[in-house]
């Protein structure tokens, strides 16, 4: 409860209000122009909405922790988001990008292409690239903007 109070604060004035947005405006614009996009997070939906609205507005599909029966690594959130986004052409057409082992497991369980991105402070010399690959990542990138360039190449 203490972390959550510090993170959210009173009326979203805690550390959530100071969290940096990692996706550049240009990369977000490119991504939205090339793909149907959604967010699946283990954080509460209300926190995801707050953060997304601070940085460019709402996303078409957002699944927070209360929107799924089981949390990641179960694929529930991804499957729900896929259903909300509509049909895809074929398995493997959907890419899920995450920074945790649970994200990679959820992506592979949902038959998505798992792509890892290193969280801030986790470099190539950490054990995180290997962990993400071992959990099913097809590729791992240092920054989310690099993922967007790779996806839209």
């Amino acid at each position: 409860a203490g972390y959550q109070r510090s993170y959210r604060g009173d009326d979203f004035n805690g550390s959530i209000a100071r969290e940096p947005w990692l996706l550049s405006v240009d990369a977000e614009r490119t991504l939205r122009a090339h793909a149907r996009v959604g967010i699946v997070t283990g954080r509460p939906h209300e926190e995801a909405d707050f953060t997304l609205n601070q940085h460019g507005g709402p996303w078409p599909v957002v699944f927070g922790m209360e929107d799924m029966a089981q949390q990641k690594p179960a694929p529930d959130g991804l499957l729900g988001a896929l259903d909300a986004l509509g049909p895809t052409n074929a398995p493997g057409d959907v890419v899920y990008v995450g920074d945790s082992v649970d994200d990679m497991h959820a992506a592979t369980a949902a038959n998505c292409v798992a792509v890892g991105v290193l969280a801030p402070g986790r470099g190539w010399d950490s054990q995180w690239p290997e962990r993400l690959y071992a959990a099913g990542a097809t590729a791992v990138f240092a920054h989310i903007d690099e993922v967007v360039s790779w996806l839209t190449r």
Side-chain angles (χ1 to χ4, degrees):
Y3 169 79
Q4 187 63 20
R5 191 171 315 121
S6 171
Y7 181 72
R8 188 181 281 199
D10 299 319
D11 197 31
F12 292 97
N13 62 355
S15 59
I16 191 173
R18 296 180 298 282
E19 264 187 332
W21 183 247
L22 301 177
L23 183 62
S24 73
V25 172
D26 288 341
E28 182 175 342
R29 189 176 301 120
T30 299
L31 183 61
R32 288 179 184 249
H34 284 86
R36 292 176 290 162
V37 294
I39 302 285
V40 178
T41 180
R43 302 296 307 163
H45 196 124
E46 187 178 37
E47 290 177 7
D49 285 342
F50 172 82
T51 300
L52 294 168
N53 286 329
Q54 296 298 305
H55 304 283
W59 285 56
V61 173
V62 177
F63 269 68
M65 64 186 293
E66 63 275 23
D67 300 319
M68 52 192 101
Q70 293 182 24
Q71 298 294 306
K72 295 180 268 182
D76 298 28
L78 277 72
L79 295 172
L82 290 172
D83 187 52
L85 286 167
T88 60
N89 295 326
D93 282 351
V94 177
V95 175
Y96 183 72
V97 179
D99 64 1
S100 74
V101 167
D102 283 352
D103 288 331
M104 301 304 103
H105 288 304
T108 56
N111 293 317
C112 297
V113 175
V115 174
V117 64
L118 299 177
R122 295 180 180 163
W124 291 108
D125 58 346
S126 71
Q127 296 177 348
W128 279 99
E130 291 80 12
R131 288 178 182 172
L132 296 172
Y133 279 119
T138 298
V140 176
F141 296 90
H143 192 275
I144 189 65
D145 285 3
E146 295 172 5
V147 176
V148 174
S149 294
W150 179 74
L151 289 171
T152 58
R153 66 185 191 284

